[in-house]
Amino acid sequence: MLVTVERDGAVAVVTMNRPEAMNALSRGLRAELAAAMEAVNADPAVRAVVLTGAGTRAFTAGLDLKELGVEGLGAANAEEALANPVKAIELCAKPVIGAINGVAITGGFEVALACDVLIASENARFADTHARVGIMPGWGLSQKLSRLIGISRAKELSLSGNFLDAQTACAWGLVNRVVPADDLLAVCKQLAADMATADPGMVQAYKALIDDGFALPFGEAMALEHARSSSANAQVDKGEVEARRLAVMERGRTQQG
């Protein structure tokens, strides 16, 4: 199998499984990834997802360029989730945590940016080699990266093709934190489990609000929040809110220890 799915309670771990090819995104892997993401999204028992790559060398090295030479460049810009792994991830309404275990290169970098949260092992490295390979990005890298780390840093990476190490990626705000390689999956699964304990409908609606607002100018995003919150909050049961408030306070006490 080119993509595996393992369940740990309400958390699904989706693994790109071509370690011998640095988890390169072949047509088969892209199709299996799309199917896996669709399945976990449709499964009500899954509340959060961890996405990673098999082995220690690569999260994914991006498109399989040998295969791409046969398919042609049109495959790289496909809008359908079956061919476009970024679209497959973005269509998942549940939180997706990227466990970056090794290199995330070019198309692999774009796959990482499709995740909601990135946590990197000390072995992780990022590179955008589109300019060096001679292919324009088609999965969002040219627009997402500058919004995450600033336009100057994005240009430094994209126009040089240089690698970015995990600690610098963390300092630049690309990843949330860097952990020892042996701890990566456990840390990501724990964070996913934390997200899974919140009301799934609320989590999914909040994720959509953040994503939809991020794509808008600030004023329009604020108006979007006002409209959605007004509609949603008008239906809230005060008794449920109070019970949840008490549960939040108790959870906070346990996290202080």
Side-chain angles (χ1 to χ4, degrees):
M1 296 182 66
L2 298 175
V3 174
T4 65
V5 180
E6 297 180 4
R7 286 280 305 278
D8 187 351
V11 176
V13 178
V14 178
T15 304
M16 295 173 283
N17 189 34
R18 288 186 74 201
E20 74 287 351
M22 298 184 72
N23 301 316
L25 300 166
S26 64
R27 179 172 51 188
L29 192 152
R30 298 196 306 269
E32 288 193 24
L33 180 59
M37 294 305 299
E38 182 179 2
V40 297
N41 191 42
D43 187 346
V46 174
R47 294 190 175 190
V49 180
V50 175
L51 177 64
T52 193
T56 59
R57 296 174 60 207
F59 176 68
T60 168
L63 276 172
D64 188 324
L65 295 181
K66 293 181 181 179
E67 183 181 81
L68 183 63
V70 175
E71 290 185 343
L73 294 180
N77 290 327
E79 288 293 328
E80 297 81 9
L82 186 65
N84 184 335
V86 167
K87 184 65 66 176
I89 298 164
E90 290 175 341
L91 287 174
C92 183
K94 300 166 184 180
V96 180
I97 298 169
I100 312 302
N101 54 303
V103 296
I105 304 172
T106 310
F109 200 166
E110 296 188 276
V111 169
L113 293 179
C115 300
D116 298 302
V117 175
L118 295 182
I119 297 177
S121 87
E122 56 203 354
N123 300 326
R125 293 197 300 162
F126 300 85
D128 177 11
T129 63
H130 280 101
R132 291 192 172 274
V133 174
I135 299 174
M136 282 291 186
W139 293 343
L141 181 58
S142 67
Q143 303 305 306
K144 290 180 180 178
L145 188 60
S146 61
R147 286 163 170 77
L148 287 174
I149 66 174
I151 192 167
S152 296
R153 285 171 170 167
K155 287 178 179 177
E156 176 182 340
L157 289 180
S158 297
L159 304 184
S160 70
N162 289 342
F163 277 83
L164 185 72
D165 66 88
Q167 293 294 347
T168 305
C170 188
W172 285 9
L174 179 62
V175 305
N176 285 27
R177 55 187 176 273
V178 180
V179 301
D182 290 344
D183 298 340
L184 177 65
L185 200 55
V187 169
C188 290
K189 287 170 68 175
Q190 181 58 59
L191 178 58
D194 289 342
M195 293 178 178
T197 59
D199 176 78
M202 182 66 192
V203 168
Q204 292 177 38
Y206 205 163
K207 171 182 169 174
L209 177 58
I210 294 170
D211 286 343
D212 293 346
F214 192 72
L216 296 172
F218 184 74
E220 293 179 27
M222 291 294 287
L224 176 70
E225 181 193 85
H226 177 74
R228 290 193 187 177
S229 66
S230 297
S231 174
N233 293 345
Q235 304 174 48
V236 170
D237 181 277
K238 294 181 180 179
E240 289 184 2
V241 170
E242 176 61 17
R244 290 176 178 177
R245 185 187 70 84
L246 294 174
V248 167
M249 293 177 62
E250 181 58 32
R251 183 171 186 267
R253 294 189 191 98
T254 63
Q255 289 188 317
Q256 289 176 1

